[in-house]
Amino acid sequence: MSLGRLLRALVFALSCAFAATSAYAAGGVIALPDFTQIVQRHGAAVVNISAAQAGKGAGPGFPQLAPDDPMFDFFRRFIPRKPEHPRIDPDNKSLGSGFIVSADGYILTNAHVVEEAEEIIVRLNDKREFRARVVGADARSDVALIKIDATDLPRLTIGDPDKLQVGEWVVAIGSPFGFDHSVTAGIVSAKGRSLPDENFVPFIQTDVAINPGNSGGPLFNLKGEVVGINSQIYSQTGGFMGLSFAIPINLAMEIQAQLKASGRVQRGRIGVAIQEVTRSLAETFALPRAEGALVSAVEPDGPAAKAGIEQGDVIVRFAGKPVEQSSDLPRIVSSSRPGAQVSLSLYRAGVLREVGIVVGEWADEGNPRSRRSERAKPAPNKLGLVLGLPTPAQKRERNVEHGLVIERAQGAAARADLQVGDIVLAMVSGGRQVALKTVDGFTRLAADIKDGQLVTLLVHRGSGTSYVTLRAGD
């Protein structure tokens, strides 16, 4: 090939490549978003939160959701983990994030970030620090509203998470591992995600890199509007693994409005147990499609029973909103005002019916901290310990089959650095190791301990276990 032909061929190839690249970019496919404007305009309204928790070290690690589905091994909330050995002295602080929603100092964050906090310090982007008070916290949605005494603060614009599309870019700003105002980005992976033990929140799933300390921080769309509060991650290691979950901001704002008005959240209930409608169940119950919530039990004298709802009914609409999956019903009912009279649609024996019902009120709401403090506290024994049975979720979280969780530690136990949330697996005394399975069993063993006696406990904390020796007595 002559030099001239070679040059003409090269020019032609380059022009084709340039045209294809230009068309590709013009179609909006190749162009990547620029996040700098979001950070510059809205980063100042994101805050770092440090909460000092009396009697509660960070040793127990992340509070976790109880997974019923093997796909979700550990849904970890984002409180940084301290060293796992019980002998290490914790600083009794948790770190999280939050964001300003009003210029007079109201801040949204996660309830678990400020749970049982004795002191909350909020640090702004300009390095100013303020003490904050908890206006209210709702454990079920994991939303908390706190307040600092300041004015003319930058605040964020609230967006509409219903307009989010799967595949859309989103941005998170927070304090992972205490690194203030770190920015990460990703896409929306799914919407309306239901998680085990979480009936009231239709989570936004993303692949944004979220780590301990991001908890309570904002999730932005590309307009710079907040569309969610980063709340949970899926992780087998405690770090980011590509699955993050955010509370939709419209739900969070409804919660904060109630917290601001009364310090608590009211939720509706109707008193039924439900299950998913499978294709085979739909055929059995003569339904046109596999949708709705199948009523498996009705609470005696509850709102549903009074309305005439029966076991075997399939609820497909509540208060004008469709119930496509069983998980939709708790969310819709809980957002209804207690005492309101609403209509619902249900199938009974294959026939669609309309039923009126008066919504009841969920009884166990309120500040989880105050509920704990109202519980009767048994007196510690000579070891300075009050132990209780761990929940199934705690057992699954720690991967233990037995043991008792520390609810209170003072005296000898406090001197040995045992902490609330540690799980005591066994007691060693007189050369004999006894597994602890019941509170009564521990009480009997503790009753035989004499002042000054050395007792060794096998303690589980985080993902490790170790023996801790303490001397009985005050």
Side-chain angles (χ1 to χ4, degrees), residues 51-57 79 92-94 112-118:
Q53 299 164 320
K56 180 179 178 182
I79 300 176
N92 287 347
K93 287 185 179 179
S94 68
H112 71 264
V113 171
V114 297
E115 184 181 15
E116 297 184 351
E118 292 289 315

Side-chain angles (χ1 to χ4, degrees), residues 1-289:
M1 179 182 292
S2 66
L3 180 61
R5 292 179 63 186
L6 179 62
L7 288 174
R8 284 195 297 272
L10 180 60
V11 169
F12 177 76
L14 288 173
S15 63
C16 290
F18 177 77
T21 302
S22 300
Y24 197 48
V29 179
I30 198 172
L32 294 176
D34 182 2
F35 305 119
T36 58
Q37 293 299 312
I38 295 175
V39 178
Q40 291 171 8
R41 292 177 183 175
H42 308 293
V46 183
V47 303
N48 173 277
I49 298 174
S50 176
Q53 299 164 320
K56 180 179 178 182
F62 295 96
Q64 294 172 326
L65 291 173
D68 298 324
D69 188 324
M71 288 296 293
F72 298 96
D73 293 328
F74 299 99
F75 283 98
R76 300 180 182 266
R77 289 179 175 158
F78 314 141
I79 300 176
R81 187 200 305 255
K82 293 296 180 183
E84 295 173 348
H85 196 289
R87 300 293 298 179
I88 294 178
D89 186 27
D91 61 6
N92 287 347
K93 287 185 179 179
S94 68
L95 294 176
S97 304
F99 55 96
I100 303 168
V101 292
S102 67
D104 56 349
Y106 284 96
I107 295 169
L108 274 179
T109 185
N110 283 145
H112 71 264
V113 171
V114 297
E115 184 181 15
E116 297 184 351
E118 292 289 315
E119 183 182 54
I120 302 170
I121 301 297
V122 171
R123 184 166 67 250
L124 306 186
N125 193 33
D126 59 10
K127 306 305 180 184
R128 286 185 295 166
E129 293 188 353
F130 298 87
R131 279 188 171 84
R133 62 180 177 87
V134 177
V135 177
D138 178 55
R140 285 194 172 272
S141 63
D142 198 23
V143 173
L145 181 67
I146 63 176
K147 177 73 166 63
I148 61 175
D149 292 327
T151 57
D152 298 324
L153 295 174
R155 63 183 181 88
L156 296 182
T157 302
I158 304 302
D160 185 358
D162 292 337
K163 294 181 180 178
L164 277 179
Q165 298 184 44
V166 175
E168 181 176 339
W169 282 95
V170 282
V171 181
I173 303 179
S175 304
F177 303 107
F179 293 105
D180 290 4
H181 291 82
S182 297
V183 182
T184 52
I187 62 168
V188 176
S189 303
K191 292 177 60 180
R193 185 69 81 190
S194 297
L195 302 183
D197 293 347
E198 294 287 350
N199 296 324
F200 301 130
V201 180
F203 286 97
I204 303 166
Q205 179 185 328
T206 77
D207 69 348
V208 177
I210 298 296
N211 283 291
N214 276 113
S215 188
L219 184 73
F220 294 93
N221 61 19
L222 289 186
K223 296 178 182 178
E225 300 168 334
V226 179
V227 291
I229 302 177
N230 297 310
S231 176
Q232 302 176 26
I233 60 173
Y234 165 86
S235 180
Q236 295 174 310
T237 64
F240 174 66
M241 294 186 70
L243 292 174
S244 308
F245 298 90
I247 303 163
I249 194 61
N250 51 3
L251 173 63
M253 293 304 290
E254 291 175 6
I255 297 296
Q256 73 89 29
Q258 292 195 55
L259 293 176
K260 189 174 182 179
S262 63
R264 62 185 294 268
V265 176
Q266 285 186 308
R267 283 192 174 88
R269 63 182 295 274
I270 60 174
V272 294
I274 58 174
Q275 66 184 80
E276 192 69 29
V277 177
T278 63
R279 196 169 291 206
S280 58
L281 283 172
E283 183 177 344
T284 303
F285 283 89
L287 302 176
R289 327 188 269 169

